[in-house]
Amino acid sequence: MNKLGNYITGNWIIGDGDGQTLYNAVTGESIGAASTKGLDFKSITDYARTVGNPALRKMTFHARGNMLKALALHLRNHLDKFYAISYQTGATKADSWVDIEGGIGNLFSNASLRRKFPDEVFCIDGESHNLSEHKTFMGTHILSPKEGVAIHINAFNFPVWGMLEKIAVNLLAGMPCIVKPATVTSYLTEAVVKEIIASKILPEGALQLVCGSAGDLLDHVTSQDVVTFTGSASTGLMLKSNPIILREAVPFNMEADSLNCIVMGEDVEPGMPEWDIFIKEIRKEMTLKAGQRCTGIRRIFVQENKMEDVWKAIGTSLSQTVIGNPLNTKVRMGSLAGQSQRKEVKEQVQKLLASSQIVYGSLDSVDVVDADGNKGAFMSPVLLMNENPFAATAAHEVEAFGPVSTIMPFKNLEEAVELSKLGKGSLCSTIVTADYKQARQYVIGAATHHGRILVLNNECAKESTGHGSPLPLLVHGGPGRAGGGEEMGGIRGVKPYLQRTALQGSPTTITAITNVYQPNAKGKDPGKHPFTKYFEELVIGDQIITEKRVITAEDIDKFADLSGDHFYAHIKTTDFTGTMFEQQVAHGYFIMSLAAGLFVDSYEKNPVLLNYGIDELRFTKPVYPGAEVYIRFTCKEKLPNDKRVVENPEDFKRGDDIEKGIVKWLVEFFDETDEITGVATILTMVARKI
Ligand code: NAP
């Protein structure tokens, strides 16, 4: 029998014994086995910490991000192979797209996140704080990659996305990982890991894979490790309670099952676009991936007088879904991942049936095309109705991880909010309404119990990514029953793999450590105007103090005319009684503009290619006619800017061939009393010398 490989300690190793047999979910035929018997899990964790970790932590965020991009591009060349295997899990083309290309998309998205980090092995987190009267003592926070290994224990439903969305963030952070996919669909994860390892894009030790039982893996964790778990609440609780995880205070991020709901706003009536949007969203969520999605809609809340119309409309819509062999292009819903999953879903439905009835579908039969409904793990969508959702609570507690959902009535939106919370914490919830007041009431009422809320109406439905799709830039996770975890959400998703340390010292010391200029640190004589220096030549702290310029009432009048900004505070003749100002005040933007006039160097061409924008700009003291303004201009931070790779010469844009970087400058505005009147961070694009 074809046994899956485990990629550990630099080699592909086959586990001992027969292992667990794996089946094609569509045909029921055996396709291989997975075993981790005989593996030494301690040496696997040690290898990650001693080989993978040092290799990754010495790379910068930008190098790690570029590595993710290269990996995503590489995997895109092997899509056909992955799709062919994915069909065996019962997934249709659309399901597989979410899993495979969604996973690769996540790699791309995290690769782009590198731009939010410095080109350093660690980074500053958040703002700096002056902590002393004479500004010689300050504090900030830094984030450094943990010295351990990230262990990802994943659920069976997304064997590719589940792995890639998790490893993207630990790799970007600079930590290696061990992936343990759910055994039943691990053959697809293995195929992807084979390509990743063969590509040699990741440093050795950065990724290890175990297919089959996790053995005593979690008994070897240490305080520098991170464990993530995606799966059922019961397994999660058991693993989270591991005494070694507790003793070592190992962060444990849990993404568990949840009873996500959709609510129809009170305003939605048949004939409104929102009515059809509601029905369509439910059909999509019940049938995509045969309902095996952690975010799947398990509970449907509708005002009591519309119940019958809604469940009939959902039934009609579900009846149009062709079920069967995912290789048949007409098929819209494939099978469950295996016979044991089907058995479990049916058992869970039996529990729900104690307090509800089936209004669409059947537990005993299903019409399928191009397949055998019994040999394959096929199941009909099942819509249940529970008429008494406050008293009969099984629908808020029992997850049937398949194409199963329960419709329940509410009297008014307040009740719908209460019902949504009976799920005791969910990954996501959707309200369909065209009424902004209803939307606001629901969001404010239900937000505490949900990780994500989608407000769906005719304005956004066409372009909406849908109820069930976690997105790389938005957090995924939920409180309570959903596991209490949080992942993704842009840089939020990277932070769990980084240790946050508060750092205190003098501004000059902290500038030297972080390579980011801190306000009040000593400046450096640049030797020549910084605008005449190439990117590589600029030094953090390079500083100039400009000439002075006296502000006149005429300047302010002229700026008002030029910009069209005749706000009363800038007009000489205004009666200033009861205002914030004593007299005509200069426009803040005028001061910003004249600052550029003072710090910009010359008419000669120089390495500065363009002004890229302003990150922050504050006006802290009014500037009146007669004030003498000067600027302190300091090189604050340097960020690499990757050359745009143009595959098609027609896409070439002017400047694509120039090697360059982004430079941030701290601009401090002073007046004749040497007090700061404003501060800005401006960005320029600067050419490299090479
Ligand atoms: P599961 O049975 O809880 O298994 C999850 C993972 O835990 C699998 O990799 C499993 O490996 C592993 N595992 C089980 N016992 C273990 C042990 N003693 N030590 C170490 N690992 C162990 O869940 P599932 O059936 O795969 O997935 C379905 C559930 O996942 C559903 O309830 C769904 O809602 C939830 N889910 C949640 C999310 C989310 O993001 N919140 C996403 C997807 C799925 P084996 O396969 O080898 O047993």
Side-chain angles (χ1 to χ4, degrees), residues 388-663:
N388 205 355
F390 281 104
T393 56
H396 309 296
E397 289 154 11
V398 177
E399 182 201 42
F401 198 60
V404 180
S405 200
T406 306
I407 183 166
M408 292 170 265
F410 64 82
K411 285 194 173 54
N412 52 40
L413 199 63
E414 223 166 286
E415 267 197 17
V417 169
E418 285 316 304
L419 288 169
S420 80
K421 294 182 186 175
L422 291 183
K424 295 200 175 74
S426 302
L427 294 169
C428 56
S429 169
T430 292
I431 177 162
V432 180
T433 176
D435 179 339
Y436 307 129
K437 281 194 184 143
Q438 295 248 318
R440 182 179 152 87
Q441 185 186 341
Y442 184 72
V443 168
I444 292 174
T448 49
H449 285 59
H450 296 90
R452 178 165 59 86
I453 297 180
L454 165 66
V455 182
L456 208 49
N457 61 22
N458 200 31
E459 289 170 20
C460 67
K462 262 207 184 110
E463 290 195 302
S464 156
T465 47
H467 167 97
S469 304
L471 299 173
L473 291 175
L474 299 181
V475 291
H476 172 58
R481 160 98 195 213
E486 202 179 75
E487 57 181 25
M488 301 203 279
I491 57 173
R492 294 176 190 87
V494 186
K495 290 187 178 178
Y497 302 94
L498 298 161
Q499 175 60 43
R500 184 179 292 107
T501 308
L503 182 63
Q504 294 168 285
S506 83
T508 308
T509 312
I510 293 189
T511 297
I513 293 168
T514 59
N515 240 343
V516 177
Y517 178 79
Q518 304 295 326
N520 308 306
K522 284 183 204 141
K524 290 182 181 153
D525 178 0
K528 55 182 181 176
H529 193 285
F531 276 18
T532 63
K533 288 184 162 188
Y534 284 93
F535 185 75
E536 303 89 324
E537 294 171 334
L538 281 164
V539 175
I540 300 303
D542 270 356
Q543 188 173 78
I544 53 166
I545 302 205
T546 68
E547 300 289 303
K548 293 185 173 162
R549 172 169 169 173
V550 178
I551 307 295
T552 65
E554 200 191 356
D555 283 338
I556 302 173
D557 293 345
K558 276 193 195 157
F559 189 84
D561 287 343
L562 185 64
S563 64
D565 178 352
H566 292 102
F567 183 63
Y568 68 85
H570 307 310
I571 309 299
K572 254 196 297 264
T573 50
T574 297
D575 171 4
F576 282 91
T577 320
T579 73
M580 295 288 288
F581 305 103
E582 294 162 12
Q583 54 168 309
Q584 178 187 28
V585 65
H587 304 67
Y589 302 124
F590 170 46
I591 304 298
M592 183 67 238
S593 307
L594 78 81
L598 290 169
F599 66 67
V600 169
D601 176 43
S602 67
Y603 294 98
E604 299 290 319
K605 247 195 226 168
N606 60 37
V608 177
L609 300 166
L610 53 85
N611 173 1
Y612 196 64
I614 298 176
D615 256 6
E616 57 217 1
L617 174 59
R618 289 279 180 284
F619 307 122
T620 51
K621 184 182 172 191
V623 177
Y624 297 120
E628 255 188 340
V629 172
Y630 67 95
I631 307 298
R632 188 160 70 194
F633 187 68
T634 314
C635 179
K636 180 175 171 182
E637 195 177 349
K638 289 164 62 178
L639 296 167
N641 189 266
D642 304 321
K643 216 164 149 184
R644 210 169 138 248
V645 181
V646 186
E647 283 167 21
N648 189 344
E650 285 156 30
D651 297 334
F652 180 84
K653 284 198 198 130
R654 197 181 176 95
D656 277 351
D657 51 346
I658 302 176
E659 296 278 1
K660 51 195 173 291
I662 302 293
V663 181

Side-chain angles (χ1 to χ4, degrees), residues 154 156-157 180 182-183 230-232 235 255-257 294 399 401 476:
N154 293 340
F156 68 81
N157 54 341
K180 189 242 156 313
T183 305
T230 304
S232 60
T235 311
E255 300 289 343
D257 45 40
C294 54
E399 182 201 42
F401 198 60
H476 172 58

